[in-house]
Amino acid sequence: MLQANDYDVLITDWMMPGLDGPELCRRVRASQQDGYTYILMTTSLSSATDVIAGMEAGADDYLVKPVDPFALQTRLIAAQRGD
């Protein structure tokens, strides 16, 4: 789906079957030709090492679960600035 369409925002989990969030971030960043996809990673992993790893993989922001609706809303406002 990501290869066939341009998305402004991608919200992904770190732990998913078959492909983890950091690898998805790397693939999105490697395949982008035009435009930019703002990537927000959510996870229960909360150590500083995990946050840095997610950001280094290509995430623009990182939210620890359970996701606070206010925190999500503020990140989505920031993502709109890239339009």
Side-chain angles (χ1 to χ4, degrees):
M1 285 178 37
L2 288 168
Q3 292 174 344
N5 300 292
D6 289 328
Y7 292 94
D8 295 329
V9 178
L10 169 64
I11 301 174
T12 185
D13 199 334
W14 182 300
M15 293 177 272
M16 301 180 292
L19 180 70
D20 66 17
E23 182 58 26
L24 177 60
C25 289
R26 285 188 281 276
R27 289 185 187 187
V28 168
R29 295 294 177 234
S31 68
Q32 282 191 313
Q33 302 292 325
D34 298 321
Y36 187 81
T37 301
Y38 182 95
I39 302 174
L40 177 59
M41 188 175 304
T42 65
T43 183
S44 58
L45 303 173
S46 61
S47 74
T49 304
D50 295 323
V51 174
I52 294 296
M55 300 297 282
E56 288 179 339
D60 292 292
D61 212 333
Y62 192 100
L63 287 174
V64 176
K65 291 179 182 180
V67 173
D68 174 54
F70 174 76
L72 177 60
Q73 183 177 10
T74 59
R75 271 46 173 216
L76 292 176
I77 290 169
Q80 289 179 330
R81 293 185 184 136
D83 288 345

